[in-house]
Amino acid sequence: MVIAGPTRLVTGRRVLIVDETCDTGATMKLALNAVRELKPAAVKTARLVPDRRVPAGLLRARDRQLIILPWDREVIIDGEIVMRPDYAAKLKELGG
């Protein structure tokens, strides 16, 4: 579901769309189509984690990689903001 589309300020300008992991590409395609409708001068795309098998600069576990993105690290449980339990457990397991 699209909550808000791109601003009309992209018309005639160069635009860079960045997606953190871009697993399936569905979100990127949605964003790309929405921006292209506004006739930018050029559009480029990028993803912060170039390959989920090699998460450069991010934590990777031996049995499977673990990517902790800042906006995904905490959740609300019983009215309190806490680290996601699955992340906390994995970090403890890794000695962090």
Side-chain angles (χ1 to χ4, degrees), residues 4 10 15-16 24 33 36 38-40 47 50 57-58 63 72 78 90:
V10 303
V15 176
L16 174 62
T24 66
N33 289 333
R36 283 183 174 155
L38 296 173
K39 309 287 187 231
R47 53 187 170 169
L58 300 176
D63 57 335
D72 191 37
D78 296 327
K90 193 59 160 181

Side-chain angles (χ1 to χ4, degrees), residues 9-79:
L9 292 174
V10 303
T11 302
R13 293 187 164 185
R14 296 182 308 168
V15 176
L16 174 62
I17 301 171
V18 181
D19 192 353
E20 67 272 5
T21 54
C22 199
D23 287 332
T24 66
T27 303
M28 184 68 81
K29 288 176 188 172
L30 183 68
L32 191 55
N33 289 333
V35 167
R36 283 183 174 155
E37 287 179 10
L38 296 173
K39 309 287 187 231
V43 181
K44 298 231 179 213
T45 60
R47 53 187 170 169
L48 297 178
V49 180
D51 185 330
R52 291 199 123 228
R53 291 169 289 158
V54 184
L58 300 176
L59 178 62
R60 180 174 62 183
R62 287 184 186 167
D63 57 335
R64 66 178 253 252
Q65 82 264 342
L66 175 66
I67 300 172
I68 299 178
L69 301 168
W71 49 88
D72 191 37
R73 184 175 178 261
E74 298 173 327
V75 294
I76 298 174
I77 298 177
D78 296 327

